[in-house]
Amino acid sequence: ARKENSVIWYTSLRRETAAKLMKAFRRESGIDVRGFHGSDAALKSRFVGEWTGKKAGADLLQLTDPGMFADLKARGLLRRADTPNLLKVPRWLRDSGGFWVASHVVTAVLAYRPDRLKPGSVPRSWSALADARFRNRLIVPDPAESGPAFYWAAAMVRLHGWNFLEALGRNAAAVLPYREAAGRLAAGQAWVSGGLSGEGVWRAVRAGRPVALGIPAEGVPAIPAAAALPEGAPHPIAGAAFLDFLLSPPAQRILAGDGFYPALPDVRAPAGRTALNRLRLLQLPWERTARSGEKFRRRLGRSLRAAARSGAMFPESPGVAGAPRPAGRRARALRVEPVPAGPVRGGAHPCGGFGF
């Protein structure tokens, strides 16, 4: 790989973490990495546009929407990632045909402001977010903006139905891009949020921000942050070497140090985060869900945003520290069937594998 002295990496990974990985790889291999950052949709669009113009630009493509790789694979734009470390990654974190593999896992979690909620009013399930006490105190991510938010919303629909997603929208003070939601919660613009980046909340807690992370009884959506090797890449050998490095223990520890769950089971979870095999994981069939297409993605976002616009704006909410009950008509709580709590060792939630 030393004959190729550079790698071009298209990634939606946060810039600070990506910079640490690029520096570590350069120190180990002597190969420079140029990172191009953007959203999943923007990176895929750029990648496909370059390929259509017969000018491949990326040596490694990494997205937090594994379903997007189904389309790229079907078009013949990816090659198998036959790297030494790939087989060390659990099967559920890699494509059965070897066309993509996750370097880490992104989780969509429930988060809240412990300084604003009484201990007894902290939500312990996703279903609790539809309660009237959270009217105008909820922030949710826009599923049309990112892969993790899309799969979180899809999981909520499968667990509790479309009415539940619309009830979340009615309670929402804002429906925001995925990367903004955690910051808004930490800034006090809401008191509770669903579907946030687990690693983002972890970093906010470590920075001393007044937020806390909750583990809902129904389970936590876990999304592979997948990487793939393009066909016709300008530096195919160096690109494969960089992918193998991302799956190595040193790179996995860098990811864990920034709050991400590592893909290698032998590398410890981030300090203070519950290990993946102790969580009830909600896993979707990524390719089948992605094939539901943009129409389904837009419907998810529309359901949340339309409900948020039509929801009554209460000045305060019951169940909140020091808050009076709102006057006027109260929102009706949405009834949902509870899902038994408890960890599932090494497996998925019973709804894992559902499709649309």
Side-chain angles (χ1 to χ4, degrees):
R2 285 183 177 273
K3 293 181 181 179
E4 297 177 350
N5 59 8
S6 66
V7 172
I8 301 172
W9 182 26
Y10 288 6
T11 179
S12 57
L13 184 64
R14 67 190 289 266
R15 290 177 182 271
E16 297 85 349
T17 306
K20 294 176 185 177
L21 291 167
M22 291 188 289
K23 182 179 179 180
F25 180 66
R26 183 170 59 249
R27 187 170 56 244
E28 178 180 292
S29 68
I31 299 174
D32 288 325
V33 181
R34 286 187 291 158
F36 289 85
H37 300 267
S39 67
D40 290 336
L43 290 171
K44 182 188 175 187
S45 177
R46 174 174 178 156
F47 175 78
V48 172
E50 290 172 340
W51 180 269
T52 303
K54 301 186 185 301
K55 187 180 178 181
D59 298 308
L60 184 66
L61 176 65
Q62 185 168 37
L63 307 171
T64 49
D65 187 341
M68 285 187 173
F69 288 117
D71 174 54
L72 299 178
K73 184 171 68 172
R75 295 192 198 190
L77 305 187
L78 305 178
R79 61 190 174 96
R80 284 187 172 83
D82 296 324
T83 66
N85 285 324
L86 183 139
L87 294 179
K88 298 177 183 178
V89 176
R91 289 181 181 274
W92 73 277
L93 292 177
R94 49 188 164 100
D95 175 55
S96 59
F99 286 94
W100 60 260
V101 59
S103 64
H104 57 284
V105 179
V106 173
T107 54
V109 301
L110 188 155
Y112 61 93
R113 291 283 300 253
D115 59 331
R116 298 301 181 100
L117 292 178
K118 296 176 181 178
S121 66
V122 172
R124 303 297 180 189
S125 66
W126 294 118
S127 61
L129 297 183
D131 291 353
R133 60 197 169 105
F134 295 123
R135 176 63 62 91
N136 201 33
R137 295 301 182 192
L138 174 70
I139 281 179
V140 291
D142 187 345
E145 294 284 339
S146 76
F150 167 63
Y151 291 113
W152 166 75
M156 295 304 98
V157 169
R158 292 301 300 167
L159 282 171
H160 299 310
W162 283 103
N163 287 343
F164 172 72
L165 196 71
E166 291 166 357
L168 294 186
R170 287 192 294 273
N171 275 357
V175 179
L176 300 168
Y178 182 70
R179 295 182 185 274
E180 291 182 26
R184 297 288 189 94
L185 177 68
Q189 296 182 21
W191 295 352
V192 66
S193 183
L196 290 191
S197 149
E199 53 279 359
V201 176
W202 179 88
R203 286 191 292 270
V205 172
R206 302 274 286 190
R209 308 296 291 276
V211 295
L213 190 150
I215 305 297
E218 300 98 323
V220 176
I223 302 103
L229 298 172
E231 281 283 6
H235 312 102
I237 299 174
F242 183 50
L243 174 58
D244 198 57
F245 169 76
L246 292 179
L247 304 177
S248 69
Q252 294 284 288
R253 285 192 287 269
I254 290 173
L255 288 161
D258 276 4
F260 297 96
Y261 280 115
L264 295 185
D266 293 339
V267 177
R268 287 181 178 273
R273 295 198 72 181
T274 305
L276 274 181
N277 64 359
R278 296 290 302 169
L279 292 174
R280 187 184 295 274
L281 302 180
L282 303 180
Q283 300 171 34
L284 292 131
W286 315 115
E287 295 190 9
R288 193 157 77 243
T289 304
R291 283 197 297 271
S292 61
E294 280 302 307
K295 184 176 179 181
F296 178 70
R297 186 185 294 266
R298 287 195 298 270
R299 182 183 176 188
L300 287 170
R302 223 170 27 241
S303 295
L304 281 173
R305 289 191 298 271
R309 285 194 297 269
S310 65
M313 303 293 281
F314 290 153
E316 296 289 353
S317 298
V320 176
R325 291 183 178 273
R329 181 174 61 85
R330 292 183 61 186
R332 183 177 63 182
L334 184 73
R335 295 185 63 183
V336 295
E337 292 299 320
V339 178
V344 177
R345 291 181 179 272
H349 185 272
C351 79
F354 54 64
F356 295 93

